[in-house]
Amino acid sequence: MSGKITTFFRIQFFLLLYSSMALGQDYIIPPNSSPWPGINLGVVPGQDFVLSYAMDANLGLLTLSIKDGEFNNRHFEQYSIGRGFNTVHHEVEGDIVYLLITNSSTFKFLTKINTQNGEVEFFPFSVSLGTIDRFKIIGNSILVVKSLQKGDFVQLYDYRTGMLISLAELFYPKTRIWDVQVKDGIFDILVHKKGDFRNQSLKMIGFNAAGTKLYETDILPPGTKKLIFKSAKLIPSGDTGYRIAGTYAKKQGEQFSGYYHISINDSLEQKAEIHPMRTLEGFFEYKKNPGLRKNAKNLRRDMQVYQTYASRDYVALASSSYKVSRKFVHFVVLDKNGSHIYDTSVKVFYDFGGAFNNSTLAMKDKDLYFLFEGNPKINVLPGYKLYQIEDGQLTGLLKAQDYLQVKPNDSEWVEIKYYHWKDNKFIVSGIETINGQSKHVIRKIEV
């Protein structure tokens, strides 16, 4: 780190950084601050806590609020970290929450928050990447991923020593990091390399916090015929190893042909199952007449798994295609061995392909909750929809009157976001304005 950068961070950290106990548990937005789009709001749920943050890029203020497992106030503080930081990523490690606060420059802040005692530490650092798409953390080492036109670029950074390592072997044309997880002190990375015709590969590669490669293994679908991987998620298993679930095609250039589920244990032994589309009776259930399968090819265009949820006994998948004009989501529930339990489809409404990137899939026993941001529509949440699926059937959609119960009728809410907390509990976050005063609030709802 150069002397100039070191001086910058010393000024920021020792002169500008301060904390002050606020009077309440809601962040009051200053009258001279325009909350759109200068304020980044977010919630990080944990099993025994709910952390919310408000990042005001115009004023350079970070406000943190922590509630315990019963949703009682535990901690509330505000910090000045300098202006211009407008993007926040988060990771959870037990009771510790890490916030990676960034902008388009190389300067970053890692904020380490102990949700039990309220201790907050800031670690300023610099990496060669500007914007960062995602990150994972082991101890002092941060793994950051940036999607570039030719492929995905991965770097490891020790935020205490300043050591930077680029994992150059993962960067080559038509290669994407499909997922990254952390287990037992290892960064487990799912890497897809696309070639011509059937020349493609899906590999799982492990690195330690120092950037040393510990293993590399090919992920293989069942049977003798080589399938084409279309999407994949790396899902930590309830006991040992991982589950890898996604969509496949029978040949390159073909559309969605079904799902695969691969269990991989800590010894890298694999057990695979596939579920062809013809066996999925719920794929067309959202249609008025599921028996009419005309134009089925169009409905199958580039189906991808966007969200997953895993318990000890089950794994649930939510898939859709941004290329389909008549939108729908397909849900699949598998048991721990990858066997089919049920699948169903729900018709949804959205304008853009990224709608499901910010969606939430939750499961209680074998029943599903699915929450995503779509088009505003009468009698449903403004922008957000919450579906309930019981025994494979759509049984409920959170209505406007349920939403009104969490706020006074004379208030105005904007920047509304919803998060799954635990079981059937969800968190709603937004900017509420009453009598001209705006503040960031979060509420608990049960469905």
Side-chain angles (χ1 to χ4, degrees), residues 138 156 167 169-170 183-189 204-217 266-268:
I138 295 177
L156 280 173
L167 302 181
E169 65 179 284
L170 300 180
K183 188 175 183 180
D184 299 329
I186 300 175
F187 292 110
D188 297 300
I189 307 175
M204 191 168 166
I205 307 176
F207 292 86
N208 63 16
T212 302
K213 184 163 71 174
L214 303 179
Y215 72 87
E216 178 177 335
T217 187
D266 291 338
S267 300
L268 301 181

Side-chain angles (χ1 to χ4, degrees), residues 245-297:
T247 55
Y248 73 89
K250 291 182 180 179
K251 55 186 177 181
Q252 196 75 284
E254 189 174 283
Q255 306 301 332
F256 168 77
S257 300
Y259 294 89
Y260 63 90
H261 175 281
I262 300 174
S263 300
I264 180 167
N265 62 22
D266 291 338
S267 300
L268 301 181
E269 298 170 329
Q270 302 179 35
K271 180 181 179 181
E273 295 278 348
I274 63 169
H275 301 283
M277 197 197 84
R278 65 178 181 272
T279 67
L280 303 172
E281 292 298 324
F283 190 79
F284 294 93
E285 277 187 354
Y286 76 98
K287 298 180 68 175
K288 291 182 179 180
N289 190 340
L292 298 178
R293 301 194 175 190
K294 294 181 179 180
N295 299 320
K297 185 176 181 180

Side-chain angles (χ1 to χ4, degrees), residues 189-205:
I189 307 175
L190 202 58
V191 183
H192 180 259
K193 183 177 181 180
K194 183 179 179 181
D196 298 327
F197 192 55
R198 289 183 176 271
N199 296 324
Q200 57 120 40
S201 65
L202 184 63
K203 296 179 181 290
M204 191 168 166
I205 307 176

Side-chain angles (χ1 to χ4, degrees), residues 8 77 129 153 184 212 230 243 314 339 404:
F8 169 80
E77 285 194 73
L129 298 175
F153 191 62
D184 299 329
T212 302
K230 304 293 286 187
R243 303 167 182 177
Y314 303 102
S339 299
L404 291 174

